[in-house]
Amino acid sequence: MSPAAITSATPLPSLPSKTDLISSTRPIIAPSTTSSLAVTTPKSPLVPAWVQPDLSRLLRVEHMPGSFASRAVSLVSLPAGALFARITTPTPSTCAYTSVQATSDLHIELNSDLVYINHSCRPSLEFDMARWEVRVAADKDAGLRAGEELTFFYPSTEWHMAQPFECRCGKSVCMGKITGARDMSEENLSNYWLNVHIEELLEERRVARYNGNEEVANGNGNTNGHAIENGESA
């Protein structure tokens, strides 16, 4: 998922268009759900869009001129911590600019317009890959508002990104160059909600440092990273 925030980056190999990325193939991964409504309930304005799910009722994709300039905008207003959408169409992937890291050794393609959700150092959403959910950021006191850009903090899912980028989110807490959680200080990461696999990789690094294993501590023992550059999205 690509930040609309890239100023300079290594040129990418030619990639399929976004329309090519949307797959009608049955998902290989079966995300868990808490309700059979996701399968049996017909579309109705009375049924929350995340149940169906119907992303066209949740977000609008805006295609801007230039590279890595597309973005997703919310069509709904929700309180902090509320469920925004379920990730229902993932397929296993190699590390790629559109992929999302789901575990320490698994990357997935979203196969939906969720791929247009860009990075921000002050995100509006959280991608919880253990629950296959996208939620409104818990620390977003004012909640999510219709018309607001949808963003999440890429290092909350990504240990190491194949294509680092210079963030232009413009927030006071902007981290500048984003390369993944592996290269960030734990002090900075402590300000963000992180996925379980990122927490586990951080603990693995702590133990490695304690034991003097610099190869693992420096991240050289784990190459599970990607460039989730979204938004023409990467």
Side-chain angles (χ1 to χ4, degrees):
M1 289 169 237
S2 141
I6 299 182
T7 54
S8 63
T10 304
L12 289 167
S14 68
L15 292 163
S17 69
K18 285 298 178 182
T19 53
D20 292 332
L21 290 172
I22 305 302
S23 171
S24 59
T25 305
R26 185 175 185 145
I28 297 173
I29 302 171
S32 61
T33 60
T34 57
S35 170
S36 61
L37 286 173
V39 176
T40 61
T41 303
K43 289 185 179 181
S44 163
L46 299 178
V47 178
W50 54 261
V51 171
Q52 308 197 257
D54 183 356
L55 291 180
S56 68
R57 293 167 56 198
L58 293 170
L59 63 84
R60 177 181 71 253
V61 177
E62 296 182 348
H63 298 281
M64 312 291 194
S67 301
F68 306 109
S70 296
R71 67 176 192 163
V73 174
S74 181
L75 297 177
V76 296
S77 297
L78 293 168
L83 180 62
F84 177 78
R86 296 192 190 282
I87 299 170
T88 60
T89 56
T91 51
S93 171
T94 56
C95 176
Y97 91 115
T98 52
S99 67
V100 179
Q101 189 170 351
T103 71
S104 62
D105 57 3
L106 172 67
H107 289 76
I108 59 105
E109 290 291 346
L110 293 164
N111 300 306
S112 75
D113 280 348
L114 292 175
V115 76
Y116 289 98
I117 297 177
N118 291 322
H119 166 84
S120 175
C121 297
R122 181 72 74 188
S124 58
L125 299 174
E126 298 166 349
F127 272 56
D128 188 337
M129 303 311 295
R131 298 176 62 89
W132 301 99
E133 291 180 353
V134 181
R135 296 188 301 267
V136 179
D139 63 353
K140 193 170 175 54
D141 295 337
L144 178 68
R145 295 289 176 259
E148 184 176 353
E149 182 177 3
L150 298 170
T151 59
F152 80 101
F153 184 64
Y154 283 7
S156 69
T157 60
E158 309 309 305
W159 181 240
H160 176 63
M161 298 172 64
Q163 186 191 354
F165 62 93
E166 291 292 335
C167 179
R168 291 205 312 258
C169 69
K171 306 299 182 182
S172 60
V173 294
C174 183
M175 298 288 178
K177 191 169 187 178
I178 303 297
T179 62
R182 187 189 73 176
D183 302 317
M184 294 182 63
S185 71
E186 293 200 27
E187 180 180 1
N188 284 336
L189 288 172
S190 68
N191 296 316
Y192 295 92
W193 179 88
L194 303 174
N195 271 272
V196 171
H197 64 273
I198 296 297
E199 296 280 12
E200 290 174 346
L201 288 167
L202 288 170
E203 179 60 22
E204 180 182 310
R205 184 173 68 181
R206 291 184 204 109
V207 171
R209 284 176 174 166
Y210 180 80
N211 292 329
N213 187 337
E214 288 303 313
E215 182 179 15
V216 173
N218 292 330
N220 298 325
N222 187 303
T223 57
N224 299 313
H226 90 172
I228 182 180
E229 249 91 333
N230 166 27
E232 192 72 333
S233 188

